[in-house]
Amino acid sequence: MLGRDGLEAVRAVKVYRLEGVTEAEAEGFARDVLAEPLEQRYALNRPLVDDARHRVEVAYRPGVTNPESASLLKAARHVGLDGMVAADSSWEYHFYGRVDDARARAIVGRLLVNDTVEHVVTRPPSTLLLRGDERAAETVALRGLDDDALDELSRTRMLYLSRAEMRALRDFFRRAGRDPVDVELETLAQTWSEHCSHKTFKSPLATDGGERPPLLMRLKDASRRHDANVLSSFEDNSGVIRLTDGWGVCGKVETHNSPSAIEPYGGAATGSGGVFRDIAGTGLGARCIASTDVFCLAPPDLAERDVPPGCLHPRYVLRRVVAGVRDYGNRMGIPTNNGSLHFHPDYRAKPSVIVGAYGIVPDDACRKGAPVPGDVVVVAGGRTGRDGIHGATFSSGEMTGTTSEVAASAVQIGNPVEEKRTFDALLACRDRGLLRALTDCGAGGFSSAIGEMGARTGVAVELERAPLKYSGLAPWEIWVSESQERMVAAVPPEHADDVVRVCAEHNVEATVLGTFTGDGRLVVRHRGRVVCDLPMELLHDGMPRAPLAARWAPPAYDDHDVPEPADATAELCRVLADPNVCSKEPVVRLYDHTVQGTNVVAPYGGPDGRAPNDGAVVTPLYGDDAAVAIAHGLHPALVRLDPYWGAAWAVTEALANFVAAGGDPRHAGLVDNFVWPVPDERLLGALDRCVDALVDAMDAFGVPFVSGKDSLSSTYRDPRGGVVEVPPTLCVSAFGPARVDACVGTAFAEPGSYVVLLGALDASSPGGSVYARMRDCGGALPRVDMDAAATRFASLHDALGRGLVRACHDVSEGGVAVALAEMCVGGGLGARVDARACGDGRADLLLFAEVAGCFVVEVAPDALDDLTAVLGAGPVAVLGRTTPARRLVVECDGELVIDASLERLHDAWARPMTEVFH
């Protein structure tokens, strides 16, 4: 791709710059701290490599957080180098062969540097200290602006507020007789942003059939009908359900799409860090036990010409988002043990980066208290810088070809080691009873965290007390910065010193920023000047709301018949190699999914570690077999064709994966994540149908949604003309109690077992399937019978708990054929089955039919009758038997349909991601 002829080798060298130390001190620091003597060598103030033809150095841009810098300074203090005032790191790349300077820089520019946050160093910096003159808050002329000027102000300041909202602000300040300070304007924009206020989901809808309640209200109302196992829902940073006596399990899934579109490593990493903080900020503090990631991107082999201006190639995005999640979770010691990858060309402008986390919390700490007047505001963790500024508002707007240039300040680079220390400190504070309330400092920074925590009381903040990474920040930048690894607590005044002391014991900085007042106002001072004085009522209840117009018309799609295949074995290999189906093992192996030592069901199992499990199961309480199952489901292509049935699929698949892993379907909690283009009437109509499906699903399965997130800005406007909208995406996550004795995995275990299909397939509904799409066909869409699936899930869970099932795999993308192939490859055993046992219709359409809520299970010969009795009247079909031969053989009406060795199947299935992550 880069024309690498003549390039023979590349060597990388780590560069550290230290300021404020002598040469002898630097020598000792390099020897004792930086270099590993068994496998590394170092040089001081001279090149380490001097035989390369060309050298290029890449470093973070000034002002972008380099997590290593803070670690270097902390390490220096530990070894007594108190004089070190600054440190930084970078990479040198040395090129060998017939490569000129222009070629070397081109390779670096395409593969090794992201201009949004990094730069090529052309000359060494004279100092590492970032200094700037302190800037005062400014008054913004607002009262005299007409509508066009209001629109321009919203655009140029990246407020992303509508004309009606800007008018409401203008009217308020006219009544107040003054113009706003920039801190006030930024506070209002953050609080009213789609990202933070969820205004679309909270507004009533005017639909074709009349006005309907807001989407969020409908979800909450339905959830309350099924909340017997719920400890906290829709009122905290994550939802909490009961795990066992004395303990709850909490879950939250977030999106980090906009930052990941322009800087995928930092965007995904801080997405993980942010959702970990959601868990840590639940109640009075929870401990993270697991991490998940779901990435939706354009295919990695997308032609370069199809990448829109200002966007990154999906292959680069894929590798970097994986690296971001890997580095953050691995360094924090949180296992990443469930996730998936999904591909569609219309993610080419903006990926969907969905990250989740789960934790455990004592029952008596699962609900946070409410601050009372006199409590103090304490911020703990990392320092505040210019990174992440406008993150909340930036994530609420659509992308254009220049987004990466104008929104670079919205990108954050996380420091997981800092976050780990912060979590440990705050859990210690929780256990000592020092906290009244706790929340994370995420989108909107202090503005969001403190403004929301003090919504019922009022709060006064002394902004100059905030620890800064460097000088020169304006007050509004300090206030809305989204610098990572910061938590905010409400602390009784008598405990403030103890909180600061406990944090210091964990090497964490903690500072008292202000006081909860009781006057119902948000007052922010900076060096004695009031830079913000707003009523909480305006912030949280003053945003204008009007019914949103929604309409739904089914989109037209190709419904002509799928032609019969000339070679079904070859078609199976093609389906296995599709990026939506193929093995994701090269990604999973980059994550430490064994850390904490709690795995019962890992991402991959079987004798050779090749069998992809449907969910994760962990036992997070030491000495206790109480288990937590985690799974998810989504089908963006199906949601695009029909949002109702696509949403029904997502819920059903999430619960099917959950049950297959060992989870109890009667006690699960659900989390929704909507990733949508900027909604117009048509897209609001699609949201409306999605929510209808979720409400129906809750009633059918008897389990509630306890948390969720909507991200309604995934639209890209091409400067050349045209619009790219992501496929409307709904990801549903399921978590809750599991039985360890119900965990069997997906790998076939013994030759001679029965292979049994649970549930009914539908050969007449291939629409949305991988098989139909690969053959450029459509067809009727699959419709899930959720009531029947609910009965099947409960009885299957009972059968698993009774030991009647040796292996279990849900039927998902690729259909029964893919499920069989994965179970064979995973167990190293063959199978001989009859496609006619799947139902009526053509063999290929039965084998590749995608119907959520069905399962392929392995059953011992002497357990089949007992299994049938437990499952009751649900469809149960014996497909065939497992065999010692390493082949998958499928017949239909006496004719051979598929005959493939496991080696051939595995090669087709494993190759695509291996080529990306080789």
Side-chain angles (χ1 to χ4, degrees):
M1 182 175 67
L2 295 173
R4 292 173 294 176
D5 293 342
L7 176 62
E8 297 174 0
V10 179
R11 295 186 64 185
V13 174
K14 191 74 174 182
V15 177
Y16 296 99
R17 289 187 169 87
L18 313 176
E19 189 163 344
V21 295
T22 66
E23 186 168 328
E25 290 172 331
E27 176 81 27
F29 191 69
R31 181 186 64 246
D32 300 334
V33 176
L34 299 179
E36 169 52 60
L38 292 179
E39 57 186 30
Q40 292 179 315
R41 60 190 178 92
Y42 68 90
L44 184 67
N45 292 331
R46 63 179 177 82
L48 187 62
V49 174
D50 57 8
D51 62 341
R53 182 177 292 270
H54 294 282
R55 177 188 67 86
V56 179
E57 181 181 357
V58 176
Y60 281 117
R61 291 185 178 275
V64 175
T65 298
N66 182 350
E68 284 188 292
S69 299
S71 296
L72 289 167
L73 291 173
K74 286 182 182 291
R77 286 196 291 273
H78 281 307
V79 298
L81 294 184
D82 296 331
M84 188 184 296
V85 295
D88 199 12
S89 65
S90 58
W91 283 99
E92 280 185 353
Y93 299 99
H94 298 262
F95 294 85
Y96 295 81
R98 299 187 308 277
V99 180
D100 59 23
D101 189 61
R103 281 277 309 288
R105 286 180 177 272
I107 293 171
V108 169
R110 289 293 307 280
L111 297 179
L112 302 172
V113 64
N114 183 333
D115 288 335
T116 302
V117 294
E118 297 168 313
H119 71 123
V120 173
V121 178
T122 56
R123 61 179 181 178
S126 59
T127 179
L128 301 178
L129 294 172
L130 291 177
R131 297 185 177 92
D133 295 333
E134 188 170 280
R135 292 179 290 159
E138 298 177 351
T139 299
V140 180
L142 177 70
R143 289 175 294 168
L145 300 182
D146 61 20
D147 288 348
D148 290 340
L150 289 175
D151 293 343
E152 179 67 12
L153 178 65
S154 179
R155 185 187 65 81
T156 57
R157 291 195 69 98
M158 294 182 65
L159 305 178
Y160 293 103
L161 294 177
S162 69
R163 177 174 288 188
E165 291 159 349
M166 292 297 292
R167 285 174 174 171
L169 296 185
R170 180 184 62 190
D171 293 345
F172 169 82
F173 284 104
R174 281 177 175 174
R175 291 192 299 272
R178 65 180 181 88
D179 281 316
V181 180
D182 52 9
V183 179
E184 296 173 314
L185 202 57
E186 296 288 345
T187 301
L188 287 158
Q190 169 269 308
T191 308
W192 289 8
S193 69
E194 181 69 70
H195 185 87
C196 293
S197 71
H198 313 290
K199 49 195 174 188
T200 298
F201 265 69
K202 291 180 178 179
S203 296
L205 291 181
T207 67
D208 297 332
E211 188 167 312
R212 304 194 70 188
L215 302 171
L216 185 57
M217 181 184 297
R218 285 149 56 190
L219 288 171
K220 287 183 175 181
D221 287 347
S223 295
R224 293 188 189 102
R225 296 196 288 269
H226 309 286
D227 63 356
N229 201 43
V230 174
L231 299 178
S232 174
S233 67
F234 290 109
E235 61 182 28
D236 205 337
N237 293 334
S238 69
V240 189
I241 62 176
R242 189 172 305 283
L243 174 60
T244 187
D245 289 343
W247 289 93
V249 56
C250 53
K252 180 63 179 293
V253 184
E254 277 277 6
T255 55
H256 233 224
N257 310 322
S258 295
S260 299
I262 63 175
E263 209 302 280
Y265 178 85
T270 54
S272 289
V275 79
F276 295 163
R277 291 195 302 277
D278 281 327
I279 297 300
T282 296
L284 295 176
R287 177 170 68 84
C288 289
I289 61 170
S291 168
T292 66
D293 62 322
V294 177
F295 300 140
C296 303
L297 310 101
D301 60 355
L302 186 74
E304 192 73 31
R305 64 180 178 276
D306 293 330
V307 179
C311 299
L312 301 170
H313 194 280
R315 190 182 185 94
Y316 175 84
V317 174
L318 174 58
R319 292 173 63 91
R320 297 303 289 164
V321 293
V322 166
V325 169
R326 173 201 67 195
D327 287 353
Y328 213 100
N330 290 2
R331 291 167 184 173
M332 282 201 67
I334 298 173
T336 302
N337 48 18
N338 182 243
S340 59
L341 296 176
H342 302 264
F343 298 92
H344 190 284
D346 285 349
Y347 290 112
R348 64 188 181 277
K350 192 171 186 179
S352 293
V353 174
I354 303 170
V355 286
Y358 299 85
I360 54 171
V361 58
D363 280 359
D364 59 4
C366 73
R367 291 180 178 271
K368 55 173 49 77
V372 300
D375 284 352
V376 297
V377 180
V378 176
V379 59
R383 292 192 160 209
T384 299
R386 196 167 276 118
D387 42 348
I389 288 175
H390 280 142
T393 57
F394 160 63
S395 295
S396 301
E398 62 186 17
M399 284 185 64
T400 68
T402 60
T403 294
S404 61
E405 300 170 17
V406 301
S409 63
V411 174
Q412 310 140 59
I413 304 295
N415 185 348
V417 176
E418 184 76 58
E419 184 154 296
K420 177 65 167 65
R421 287 194 296 260
T422 302
F423 288 1
D424 290 346
L426 291 174
L427 287 176
C429 291
R430 179 202 72 184
D431 292 342
R432 299 182 195 189
L434 303 178
L435 308 178
R436 183 96 66 192
L438 179 67
T439 194
D440 75 306
C441 202
F446 293 144
S447 173
S448 176
I450 298 174
E452 290 179 9
M453 190 176 283
R456 296 183 180 179
T457 59
V459 63
V461 177
E462 306 297 332
L463 199 55
E464 72 277 0
R465 296 180 185 175
L468 303 181
K469 295 177 181 177
Y470 37 79
S471 60
L473 272 68
W476 74 266
E477 293 177 313
I478 301 171
W479 184 237
V480 302
S481 167
E482 294 176 16
S483 291
Q484 297 290 290
E485 291 82 43
R486 299 175 301 164
M487 301 288 290
V488 172
V491 178
E494 64 271 20
H495 295 328
D497 290 342
D498 290 335
V499 169
V500 173
R501 177 179 53 78
V502 171
C503 287
E505 290 171 355
H506 288 79
N507 202 11
V508 172
E509 193 169 14
T511 306
V512 175
L513 281 191
T515 305
F516 295 95
T517 58
D519 63 4
R521 301 191 71 83
L522 174 64
V523 178
V524 181
R525 298 181 181 87
H526 185 258
R527 303 203 184 281
R529 178 190 172 188
V530 175
V531 296
C532 178
D533 185 357
L534 297 171
M536 289 293 187
E537 183 179 12
L538 172 68
L539 283 173
H540 301 292
D541 300 306
M543 182 170 58
R545 296 189 188 278
L548 300 174
R551 61 177 174 82
W552 168 250
Y557 58 89
D558 180 12
D559 62 354
H560 67 266
D561 292 339
V562 180
E564 291 194 45
D567 184 345
T569 302
E571 291 299 323
L572 172 57
C573 291
R574 287 183 64 210
V575 170
L576 285 168
D578 184 89
N580 289 292
V581 174
C582 71
S583 173
K584 310 307 186 297
E585 186 178 354
V587 174
V588 171
R589 298 307 180 199
L590 296 173
Y591 302 145
D592 187 347
H593 54 268
T594 64
V595 68
Q596 298 189 16
T598 60
N599 271 347
V600 176
V601 176
Y604 281 79
D608 297 324
R610 289 179 172 181
N613 286 316
D614 293 316
V617 179
V618 295
T619 50
L621 297 172
Y622 181 73
D624 193 321
D625 64 358
V628 177
I630 300 164
H632 70 278
L634 71 163
H635 199 319
L638 199 55
V639 173
R640 190 176 205 175
L641 294 170
D642 190 312
Y644 183 94
W645 293 111
W649 168 288
V651 179
T652 305
E653 186 192 21
L655 287 170
N657 285 326
F658 179 78
V659 172
D664 185 342
R666 290 156 292 206
H667 298 106
L670 302 174
V671 180
D672 61 66
N673 281 92
F674 294 86
V675 181
W676 233 247
V678 175
D680 54 17
E681 290 187 5
R682 168 183 54 91
L683 290 162
L684 279 172
L687 271 176
D688 186 52
R689 279 183 62 80
C690 260
V691 169
D692 280 346
L694 298 191
V695 169
D696 291 344
M698 282 187 272
D699 291 337
F701 292 112
V703 294
F705 281 87
V706 296
S707 183
K709 183 70 172 67
D710 57 277
S711 180
L712 311 180
S713 60
S714 287
T715 297
Y716 170 88
R717 295 198 176 276
D718 195 320
R720 302 167 302 187
V723 173
V724 180
E725 296 177 342
V726 302
T729 303
L730 171 66
C731 177
V732 175
S733 302
F735 71 103
R739 292 177 56 172
V740 172
D741 59 2
C743 301
V744 297
T746 64
F748 280 143
E750 297 286 344
S753 300
Y754 284 115
V755 179
V756 179
L757 173 68
L758 310 183
L761 303 181
D762 183 4
S764 65
S765 302
S769 68
V770 173
Y771 182 62
R773 176 179 52 77
M774 291 185 67
R775 311 197 75 204
D776 196 26
C777 299
L781 303 183
R783 299 190 172 194
V784 181
D785 185 338
M786 292 186 284
D787 292 320
T791 301
R792 186 178 311 122
F793 292 171
S795 56
L796 175 58
H797 180 69
D798 291 343
L800 286 163
R802 297 186 190 189
L804 301 177
V805 176
R806 286 176 167 173
C808 179
H809 199 0
D810 85 308
V811 177
S812 184
E813 285 90 347
V816 167
V818 165
L820 288 167
E822 290 177 343
M823 297 174 84
C824 287
V825 168
L829 294 173
R832 179 176 287 272
V833 300
D834 187 347
R836 181 56 60 219
C838 295
D840 296 326
R842 271 177 29 202
D844 61 313
L845 296 180
L846 288 168
L847 290 169
F848 296 111
E850 298 179 3
V851 181
C854 297
F855 302 87
V856 176
V857 300
E858 178 189 3
V859 184
D862 59 357
L864 182 61
D865 290 342
D866 290 338
L867 174 68
T868 303
V870 171
L871 292 173
V876 179
V878 176
L879 302 182
R881 289 202 167 193
T882 57
T883 70
R886 295 176 56 84
R887 304 192 73 81
L888 173 60
V889 179
V890 181
E891 297 175 333
C892 185
D893 298 329
E895 294 187 5
L896 189 65
V897 178
I898 291 174
D899 184 4
S901 69
L902 301 195
E903 288 73 20
R904 180 181 177 185
L905 297 176
H906 179 264
D907 181 66
W909 183 62
R911 188 187 323 112
M913 285 302 118
T914 301
E915 291 176 347
V916 174
F917 289 93
H918 66 279

